[in-house]
Amino acid sequence: MTQAERQQWDVVVVGAGGAGLRAAIEAREQGARTAVICKSLFGKAHTVMAEGGIAASMGNANPGDNWQVHFRDTMRGGKFLNQWRMAELHAREAPDRVWELETWGALFDRTKDGRISQRNFGGHEYPRLAHVGDRTGLELIRTLQQKIVSLQQEDKERFGDYEARLKVFQECTVTRVLKDDGRVSGAFCYERESGRFFVLEAPSVILATGGIGKSFKVTSNSWEYTGDGHALALLAGAPLVNMEFVQFHPTGMVWPPSVKGILVTESVRGDGGVLRNSDGKRFMFDYIPDVFREKYAETEEEGDRWYEDPDNNRRPPELLPRDEVARAINSEVKAGRGSPHGGVFLDVSTRMPAEVIRRRLPSMYHQFKELADVDITAEPMEVGPTCHYVMGGVAVESDTAAAVGVPGLYAAGEVAGGMHGSNRLGGNSLSDLLVFGRRAGLSAAQYAAGLGAARPAVADAQVAAAAEEALRPFAAHGAAAGGRPENPYTLHQELQQTMNDLVGIIRREEEMKQALRTLGELRVRTRGAGVEGHRQFNPGWHLALDLRNMLLVSECVARAALERTESRGGHTREDYPDMERDWRRVNLLCRLADPDADEGQIALERTNTEPIRPDLLALFDKEELVKYLAEEELYE
Amino acid sequence: MTTYDASFRVWRGDTAGGGLKDFTVEVNDGEVVLDIIHRLQATQAPDLAVRWNCKAGKCGSCSAEINGRPRLMCMTRMSVFSRDEVITVTPLRAFPVVRDLVTDVSFNYEKAREIPSFVPPPGVAPGDYRMRQEDVDRPQEFRKCIECFLCQDTCHVVRDHEENKAAFAGPRFLMRIAELDMHPLDAAEEAGLDRKRTAQDEHGLGYCNITKCCTEVCPEQIKITDNALIPLKERAVDRKYDPLVWLGNKIGRRRP
Ligand SMILES: Cc1cc2nc3c(=O)[nH]c(=O)nc-3n(C[C@H](O)[C@H](O)[C@H](O)COP(=O)(O)OP(=O)(O)OC[C@H]3O[C@@H](n4cnc5c(N)ncnc54)[C@H](O)[C@@H]3O)c2cc1C
Ligand code: SF4
Ligand code: SF4
Ligand code: FES
């Protein structure tokens, strides 16, 4: 049997992005001995890629802003499907979480009077995104990373050991959350460098693993986004919610093929960039949906005036929520009005002087210049939708970030569901990471402390089973000596193509059924995925293990998408194009049914969401609410 | 769309040793070196070890040496090479190899921990921080750093001099000291910490002889030498020879 070293911690945080690091800081400050574990090097998590900014109603750019307005925008963006208590907490606490970053050394761009500058973004009524050029995520992650280092320096002073109370296990992967009698007892992990197995025993495990984009072919996401946390939760018995809602960002690069999907930040539009089709027309004016009609400009002139005078003009429709813009682009391309490489044109070159573009959008300038030979100060970019974010995730209690039904398990950040409803507004993720990362760290530390000495144990048998599962790809290679083992890279490519083509931005019943059949086949073939070589830093092996997670999560997306017979936010059905008020209250929970079944591992459950608290409902006009809420809800 | 076959030589091996291995591999329009490495993984060498994350020049994971020059693989277009050129990809030389193109970069994380952190100004509540853009411009330039460690790899002070590693933080972390030193609200001085001095005395600023090699390889085009190291040196020197400070140091602090 494989030996696995064991270590004891109070809180284990899986993930070192914004959510994980904020959770770890909080848990450690609460006095919990905290371990952070992440697949990449410390400071490289996906959060580093975030560009545009972090949404918080500090009111620095427009004093009219406050948490209520932010809450309203978030609910509208999510088409009222949001777990409203999360949206409320998020809107209330985001400013404090941003200000706190400054006390840890963050340097945001400034307003004239020296406060944090805030920029416009789609769906936000006021300029609300704190930012640093177009590299806000880097600033966020570096600040949190450096805060962790400063806590470690304190511990070094006090205990003579940097890692006495807070340790980062970098380039390690968790493959199982372990349980004892229904409660969390730890995590089973391998070190990527050596392939060595180890167990972190802890009563609290926080999942902060980010998203699932690597199940799609065209995506802005990094290799880490294999849905691990989603799968770990399912396998540990916790349900996922809202999995049908996947955000396709309207503007990804489309050319050359090797960079297809890489993000073009929304700030390009927030700062004045416009979308045009091959006829040179600003087509977004034709795509303003009824629910947003009063809030957006009807003429180009009005839209243009808004940048200077937002109080007396309405915003241009390029700044509609992402789902609307992505669908519009999709339709234009389909109608034959696309750009040469199958996107549309996004132009800043005719809107701002070259020097302003280079200053405000430095990474975009660089990215297009280096990767596509396009000078965005002189010519338009070509852009098209790219899989960007998953709204769905682990179902959690709003206040504590505790996963439903599994004591000791928590989830925060992109891996958690509910906060963004059917569609996330730009900038609301980074703030979400901080608000709920902190809350998760707090609850996890308190729960661990509350247990005293009565901690759940890790049984040897569970460790052995996890080790065997992790070694299967090597066994599969041996077993296939006669036949040929499946190549994990090929399986991954087929999975990505399937999700992209059949469960993508526009969905149809037949295609999703086909996707489920294909996923079933891929699952069977994945059992035969074999890898060569040894366990030291072996990417083929890592991928073979990640496939389990991607297949589970993809099935959740496909099943929930097939079930929801309406269109809302990030879920668009060609066969059910309208938003149905009756569906608003319905959440689809995904649970693990039978992990070994060839035909589907996921069972769906319909639940009704809690009614929105009356004082929060009162923040909206009745005329607006009738567009979203069913008759009975209005009079409750 | 045009396609051709390129000749690649990739270092393969581990702590026990290794060598360059030849591959012939397809290249398509617009691709970068990292695409080619991925194609090798998917078709010829499934266990070829390489670090990467974002494939967009934002995370600083995919550092390697391409034809001997430290670069990000995801930001190196194949079109910068001629079609008949042999492209050699090797791991960062200044750090110990783990496997193939992956090196042990823990040196950098150790150095990061040794730099004293930001000291918040006492009595300023969160939300009350006020700074002018002109004053944050300079430290912001350094905060563009994606920690690719290419500058650390290229700096001759440590590149072939393992023995200097203990005493020298490297350009990235000397720059971090400069950044904190230029932070408009950092209260280190009030707390009795002289950052310039620690740069000189504890982090090896004196080893740097301003060759600017670090600046040349920085993918973020940060002017490491001109904007961080030289000003830090000038000020450290100022401090050192300011007789009053010198006297104060003599009296206040005894170093072994
Ligand atoms: C290009 C781009 C630009 C964006 N711009 C913005 C923006 O401007 N504003 C905004 O609000 N949002 C933005 N987003 C979205 C936002 O960046 C992400 O949603 C957010 O960063 C996710 O953070 P996280 O903390 O949940 O996870 P991540 O930062 O992704 O971190 C996940 C962590 O989990 C670890 N992990 C995963 N699986 C395992 C495992 N099995 N074992 C161990 N560790 C594991 C990873 O290694 C990583 O450390 C952007 C996204 C992209 C792709
Ligand atoms: S300028 Fe200094 S730090 Fe930079 S490479 Fe030269 S010696 Fe090293
Ligand atoms: S300063 Fe430049 S070269 Fe050095 S680590 Fe940072 S980004 Fe890389
Ligand atoms: S993969 Fe992120 S910089 Fe190259």
Side-chain angles (χ1 to χ4, degrees), chain A residues 23 31 66 100 169 355 377:
Chain A
N66 56 39
E100 168 181 86
F169 293 80
E355 166 264 321
T377 65

Side-chain angles (χ1 to χ4, degrees), chain B residues 5 9 12 34 68-70 89 121 127-128 131 170 174 176 191 194 213 223 232 238 242:
Chain B
D5 282 338
R9 310 189 80 187
R12 299 219 57 190
L34 186 60
R69 185 183 154 83
V89 189
D128 289 346
M131 294 175 257
L174 290 167
R176 165 78 172 141
D194 182 344
C213 311
K223 299 246 170 352
L232 201 58
D238 275 1
D242 178 336

Side-chain angles (χ1 to χ4, degrees), chain A residues 40 42 44 107 109-110 114 139 143 150 153 163 171 222-223 258 367 370-371 373 489 536 539, chain B residues 30 35 46 48 51-53 55 58-59 77 98-99 109 113 115 117 131 133 140 143 145-147:
Chain A
S40 307
F42 187 27
K44 314 257 176 240
L107 285 174
D109 288 349
R110 317 305 298 180
E139 186 67 17
T143 302
S150 89
Q153 290 172 342
E163 295 173 340
E171 298 196 307
S222 79
W223 69 267
S258 72
Q367 180 173 312
E370 294 286 315
L371 296 176
D373 296 319
Y489 295 96
Q536 277 165 4
Chain B
D35 288 312
L48 172 61
R51 274 198 191 102
W52 69 287
N53 264 28
K55 201 172 170 289
K58 295 195 160 66
C59 71
R77 292 277 295 274
V98 172
R99 186 175 179 195
Y109 290 91
R113 271 186 187 163
I115 310 294
S117 296
M131 294 175 257
Q133 186 60 45
Q140 274 186 337
R143 290 183 74 81
C145 170
I146 57 174
E147 300 205 329

Side-chain angles (χ1 to χ4, degrees), chain A residues 317-558:
Chain A
E318 274 91 358
L319 291 177
L320 276 159
R322 289 176 178 169
D323 51 327
E324 311 288 354
V325 184
R327 271 192 302 271
I329 294 177
N330 202 63
S331 306
E332 286 296 306
V333 174
K334 262 203 168 150
R337 295 188 291 270
S339 67
H341 301 107
V344 295
F345 297 106
L346 172 61
D347 185 24
V348 276
S349 65
T350 58
R351 312 270 304 170
M352 286 183 254
E355 166 264 321
V356 176
I357 297 172
R358 276 194 295 266
R359 182 163 46 78
R360 297 185 72 153
L361 302 165
S363 351
M364 284 305 111
Y365 174 73
H366 189 66
Q367 180 173 312
F368 273 88
K369 191 101 195 145
E370 294 286 315
L371 296 176
D373 296 319
V374 167
D375 177 356
I376 67 168
T377 65
E379 52 192 315
M381 301 162 243
E382 277 187 74
V383 296
T386 179
C387 177
H388 184 58
Y389 185 88
V390 62
M391 273 66 75
V394 182
V396 290
E397 282 174 24
S398 301
D399 287 78
T400 60
V404 171
V406 182
L409 191 63
Y410 300 82
E414 191 167 340
V415 69
M419 158 70 207
H420 304 285
S422 66
N423 173 52
R424 172 179 74 88
L425 294 185
N428 267 2
S429 171
L430 295 184
S431 40
D432 166 13
L433 308 182
L434 297 173
V435 168
F436 294 102
R438 177 184 151 277
R439 285 182 164 268
L442 185 70
S443 325
Q446 287 172 346
Y447 169 80
L451 287 179
R455 293 194 167 190
V458 172
D460 286 337
Q462 274 194 37
V463 177
E468 195 207 301
E469 176 185 49
L471 289 174
R472 213 170 287 156
F474 292 106
H477 189 73
R484 274 178 70 84
E486 293 279 354
N487 178 340
Y489 295 96
T490 311
L491 290 167
H492 186 206
Q493 281 161 12
E494 288 182 32
L495 169 68
Q496 290 181 315
Q497 196 73 54
T498 304
M499 291 305 284
N500 221 75
D501 294 351
L502 304 178
V503 202
I505 177 165
I506 308 288
R507 296 159 175 181
R508 301 166 195 87
E509 180 176 326
E510 240 345 284
E511 291 183 354
M512 288 185 283
K513 287 186 170 157
Q514 177 56 48
L516 285 166
R517 284 191 294 274
T518 310
L519 290 174
E521 288 157 24
L522 285 171
R523 194 160 46 240
V524 175
R525 286 170 57 196
T526 296
R527 283 190 213 135
V531 292
E532 301 170 43
H534 48 76
R535 274 155 67 182
Q536 277 165 4
F537 219 113
N538 185 338
W541 178 42
H542 303 162
L543 180 60
L545 295 178
D546 293 344
L547 278 171
R548 175 198 72 188
N549 303 335
M550 287 188 271
L551 283 164
L552 272 169
V553 168
S554 298
E555 186 183 334
C556 290
V557 175

Side-chain angles (χ1 to χ4, degrees), chain A residues 13-21 37-41 44-55 121 129 136-137 140-141 172-175 208-211 220-229 232 262-263 265 267 322 387-389 412-415 424-431 433 546 549, chain B residues 53 58:
Chain A
V13 181
V14 189
L21 295 183
I37 173 163
C38 54
K39 294 205 280 191
S40 307
L41 292 172
K44 314 257 176 240
H46 198 274
T47 298
V48 86
M49 295 166 74
E51 295 166 353
I54 169 165
F121 238 56
L129 270 68
T136 313
L140 184 78
I141 209 121
C172 295
T173 306
V174 175
T175 62
T209 52
S220 63
N221 294 172
S222 79
W223 69 267
E224 295 194 302
Y225 269 28
T226 49
D228 293 9
L232 290 171
I262 294 184
L263 192 75
T265 172
S267 326
R322 289 176 178 169
C387 177
H388 184 58
Y389 185 88
E414 191 167 340
V415 69
R424 172 179 74 88
L425 294 185
N428 267 2
S429 171
L430 295 184
S431 40
L433 308 182
D546 293 344
N549 303 335
Chain B
N53 264 28
K58 295 195 160 66

